Amino acid sequence: MKTAARNLLPCILRLAVTATVMAQWSPAHAWMCPTAVEEEVVALINQERQNNGLPALVLDVRLVEAARLHSQDMASNNFFSHTGSDGSDFTTRIDNSGYFWYTAAENIAAGYSTAAAVVNGWMNSPGHRANILNSSMRDIGVGYAYDALSTYGHYWTADFGNSYDSPMNGSCNEPQYTLTVTKQGPGTVTVSTGTLTWNGTTGTATYGANTPVTLTANADAGAFFAGWSEDCVGNASSCDMTMNDTKSVTATFSFTADFTASPISGYAPLLVSLTDASSILPSSWLWDFGDGTTYTAQNPSHLYKNVGSYNVKLTASDENGSVTVTKTNYITVSPCPNAKVHMASSYFASIQTAYDQSFSGDVIEMQAVDFIEALVLGQDKTVTLKGGYNCDCTCIVGYSTLDGSITIEKGTVIIDGVVVG
């Protein structure tokens, strides 16, 4: 954290104000209570005053509120100045807290992570030291805020004053801030302090001001933590924050999409069996086989009829989203060394040729590819046309497509596994 001199700014003012300042507050108003670290700063400042023969300052909850709100303003809006994001100066802020002052001063600092460090920094800066050791001051209020997304992280304000009325160190309440955690995907989120109360995928917990909280993302088996968003950022499994305001965090978990195939190479027509191997069982699948066809089964089989190299893509989805994996040139289909039609022990270039040379009772076997023919079957014999075979016609892998026509003039033709389009 930066702790250069420009991160320490003092301000002092002696003025009289009218009694109407107090009129805006009712006796029932409860100011912010100091936190432990804020009380530690007050104790260290009073030790410095004691070392220099000065009386201890009295903690005043009105000044605590003014100081805390300014520190929160600087942290949340990522700036460092005595001028607030609304244009207010420190006297306006202590006026608004109901402090009826006639002398006042303010120290601010940023980047110091502990009470001891910030007091040491102030004591080594002449202007800040002068405010701390000002004998005209009677009261003090310290405010601390932290925001991991800000430039300096830690922001400190000390307001000093002396008022026409007695110090007010009662009638305070600890502000409560709600942390809302939304989890997306297969995993859980835990907190180091308190307990998240879950309603479905949303958990909430309430904390006092400046309570440090560490959130930890725990991915389910087979899943991984994808990252934080909103008031936590990054993809580290833990996130540290200080509850100085209402905060919302989303934790996203995901799974790894993967698949295998067998075989991944061979002769056309090639029947490939694909198996989903995602790390967590998705609820839906969309396969793109790379040849213009898709499918939605978990573990499909696909027939590649044409020669080429094919990219295969799987998009696996669950209720939280989709994950896609693509395997490039994953399936390689080579030209079949045999002609597309088989009968007995011979291969033929066309169905018509095989039919013309067939005898009654022969079975003409056709590869599971596309044929473009206009068949004329005019012999007085019985022949079976059986389609859907692999390259060497040893097993059925699909069906054959005949883009043409069949004219039967004589005899009987039994057609099986052939789609005529």
Side-chain angles (χ1 to χ4, degrees):
M1 283 298 178
K2 300 178 181 178
T3 55
R6 68 186 181 90
N7 302 113
L8 296 166
L9 291 178
C11 196
I12 184 167
L13 187 65
R14 290 183 177 87
L15 288 173
V17 295
T18 64
T20 56
V21 172
M22 292 298 292
Q24 61 185 304
W25 297 102
S26 69
H29 179 82
W31 285 264
M32 294 179 179
C33 296
T35 63
V37 71
E38 291 165 351
E39 289 182 329
E40 184 181 357
V41 172
V42 173
L44 291 170
I45 286 175
N46 280 333
Q47 183 61 55
E48 296 293 344
R49 288 175 64 88
Q50 180 181 339
N51 294 343
N52 286 272
L54 295 170
L57 297 173
V58 179
L59 193 145
D60 191 298
V61 292
R62 295 169 296 184
L63 294 179
V64 170
E65 181 163 296
R68 173 92 59 77
L69 291 176
H70 186 55
S71 291
Q72 290 175 350
D73 187 21
M74 291 190 292
S76 298
N77 294 295
N78 196 23
F79 72 95
F80 182 70
S81 172
H82 284 287
T83 302
S85 62
D86 60 356
S88 63
D89 60 21
F90 84 96
T91 60
T92 300
R93 293 189 291 271
I94 63 176
D95 284 347
N96 290 340
S97 73
Y99 187 74
F100 185 30
W101 59 275
Y102 61 83
T103 184
E106 181 175 84
N107 285 355
I108 60 174
Y112 297 93
S113 61
T114 66
V118 71
V119 172
N120 183 65
W122 281 336
M123 290 301 294
N124 283 284
S125 169
H128 299 87
R129 178 186 178 91
N131 284 345
I132 290 173
L133 301 181
N134 190 329
S135 60
S136 299
M137 301 300 175
R138 183 194 68 188
D139 307 325
I140 187 174
V142 173
Y144 166 74
Y146 175 78
D147 192 318
L149 301 181
S150 63
T151 301
Y152 299 112
H154 306 270
Y155 293 81
W156 306 84
T157 303
D159 284 332
F160 307 89
N162 207 332
S163 70
Y164 292 107
D165 58 356
S166 300
M168 186 178 294
N169 51 26
S171 300
C172 69
N173 62 358
E174 182 67 28
Q176 298 292 302
Y177 299 116
T178 300
L179 170 64
T180 301
V181 179
T182 302
K183 67 182 187 72
Q184 297 179 343
T188 59
V189 178
T190 57
V191 289
S192 60
T193 305
T195 303
L196 289 168
T197 300
W198 290 94
N199 182 8
T201 59
T202 301
T204 58
T206 302
Y207 297 98
N210 293 313
T211 301
V213 180
T214 298
L215 294 86
T216 302
N218 307 285
D220 291 349
F224 65 92
F225 176 59
W228 305 100
S229 58
E230 298 180 269
D231 287 319
C232 280
V233 294
N235 55 13
S237 61
S238 63
C239 170
D240 296 325
M241 63 169 49
T242 299
M243 291 301 299
N244 51 27
D245 201 351
T246 297
K247 295 183 181 291
S248 296
V249 173
T250 297
T252 302
F253 302 89
S254 190
F255 58 90
T256 301
D258 197 10
F259 62 88
T260 60
S262 181
I264 58 172
S265 63
Y267 295 125
L270 181 66
L271 181 65
V272 177
S273 297
L274 298 108
T275 303
D276 169 40
S278 300
S279 59
I280 288 180
L281 181 65
S283 57
S284 65
W285 302 262
L286 177 60
W287 297 86
D288 184 336
F289 300 120
D291 60 355
T293 58
T294 60
Y295 209 65
T296 57
Q298 180 183 5
N299 301 310
S301 293
H302 182 66
L303 181 67
Y304 288 91
K305 293 185 176 182
N306 299 314
V307 173
S309 293
Y310 297 93
N311 303 332
V312 181
K313 179 170 69 175
L314 169 63
T315 299
S317 304
D318 63 10
E319 66 273 13
N320 298 292
S322 301
V323 181
T324 298
V325 57
T326 301
K327 297 189 178 183
T328 304
N329 297 325
Y330 188 54
I331 304 297
T332 301
V333 182
S334 303
C336 178
N338 305 318
K340 297 189 291 183
V341 181
H342 176 261
M343 183 178 66
S345 59
S346 300
Y347 289 91
F348 302 86
S350 68
I351 304 170
Q352 187 70 58
T353 301
Y355 173 80
D356 292 343
Q357 297 184 31
S358 67
F359 295 95
S360 187
D362 279 346
V363 177
I364 299 174
E365 298 167 336
M366 305 154 57
Q367 291 177 6
V369 295
D370 299 332
F371 294 84
I372 302 175
E373 294 190 45
L375 299 178
V376 178
L377 311 179
Q379 299 180 29
D380 189 12
K381 55 187 176 183
T382 299
V383 175
T384 299
L385 301 181
K386 191 168 185 178
Y389 281 93
N390 61 352
C391 171
D392 57 7
C393 292
T394 56
C395 65
I396 300 292
V397 293
Y399 59 87
S400 304
T401 300
L402 177 60
D403 185 6
S405 60
I406 300 177
T407 301
I408 302 175
E409 297 177 342
K410 289 183 180 180
T412 301
V413 178
I414 301 170
I415 301 175
D416 182 20
V418 180
V419 176
V420 181

